[in-house]
Amino acid sequence: VDCPSNYTGDNATRTCVPCSNTNNCRKRCPSTTITSLKGAEEFFEQGCRHVEGSLTIKILRDSDKDGKLKGYLGSVEQVDGYVLIVNSPMLRELDFLDNLMSINGDTLWKFRYPIGHWFH
């Protein structure tokens, strides 16, 4: 259910209901894989704050000299699964996820890890 601001979707009734608090108003999005800065921008434009699944970042060629990734992904507050950085040499730290408060690990990378940084 796609709802206006200050409303959240109730999947059971397929309706929009007013938010009861700030956490209730977080835009929820499914698992996603970001493969470019453009993809990160599109993710940002969706307003996602809560990833219901895992967040994989696999940016091979783009560079982030301007710090745009922080602007695009800095609003993510919660990931239910895992966060995985794959073959992204420009990402050595997770400081671009500066509002991330929890990685629940409901699904684990390689069945063991809530967070991974993998180069091959």
Side-chain angles (χ1 to χ4, degrees):
V1 178
D2 196 17
C3 299
S5 70
N6 297 324
Y7 284 80
T8 188
D10 182 339
N11 290 330
T13 62
R14 309 264 320 137
T15 61
C16 295
V17 294
C19 298
S20 59
N21 61 43
T22 306
N23 288 338
N24 189 358
C25 242
R26 282 190 259 171
K27 168 89 180 206
R28 296 168 185 262
C29 297
S31 291
T32 192
T33 298
I34 309 275
T35 59
S36 66
L37 288 176
K38 179 70 175 160
E41 181 180 16
E42 290 167 0
F43 180 81
F44 170 76
E45 288 170 354
Q46 293 177 38
C48 298
R49 293 186 176 272
H50 180 166
V51 178
E52 292 181 314
S54 298
L55 176 62
T56 300
I57 301 165
K58 187 177 182 180
I59 302 176
L60 298 172
R61 301 180 197 277
D62 291 342
S63 70
D64 191 31
K65 294 176 187 167
D66 302 330
K68 290 181 180 179
L69 199 59
K70 186 173 188 171
Y72 296 150
L73 299 179
S75 60
V76 175
E77 297 174 359
Q78 180 176 340
V79 176
D80 289 343
Y82 57 81
V83 173
L84 176 62
I85 313 297
V86 180
N87 289 339
S88 300
M90 68 179 190
L91 303 177
R92 300 266 183 233
E93 301 174 358
L94 296 178
D95 60 345
F96 60 92
L97 294 170
D98 60 345
N99 283 311
L100 184 63
M101 292 189 255
S102 68
I103 302 171
N104 295 344
D106 295 348
T107 303
L108 300 173
W109 179 58
K110 294 200 172 217
F111 304 103
R112 293 179 71 174
Y113 308 105
I115 190 163
H117 198 212
W118 184 47
F119 290 95
H120 64 90

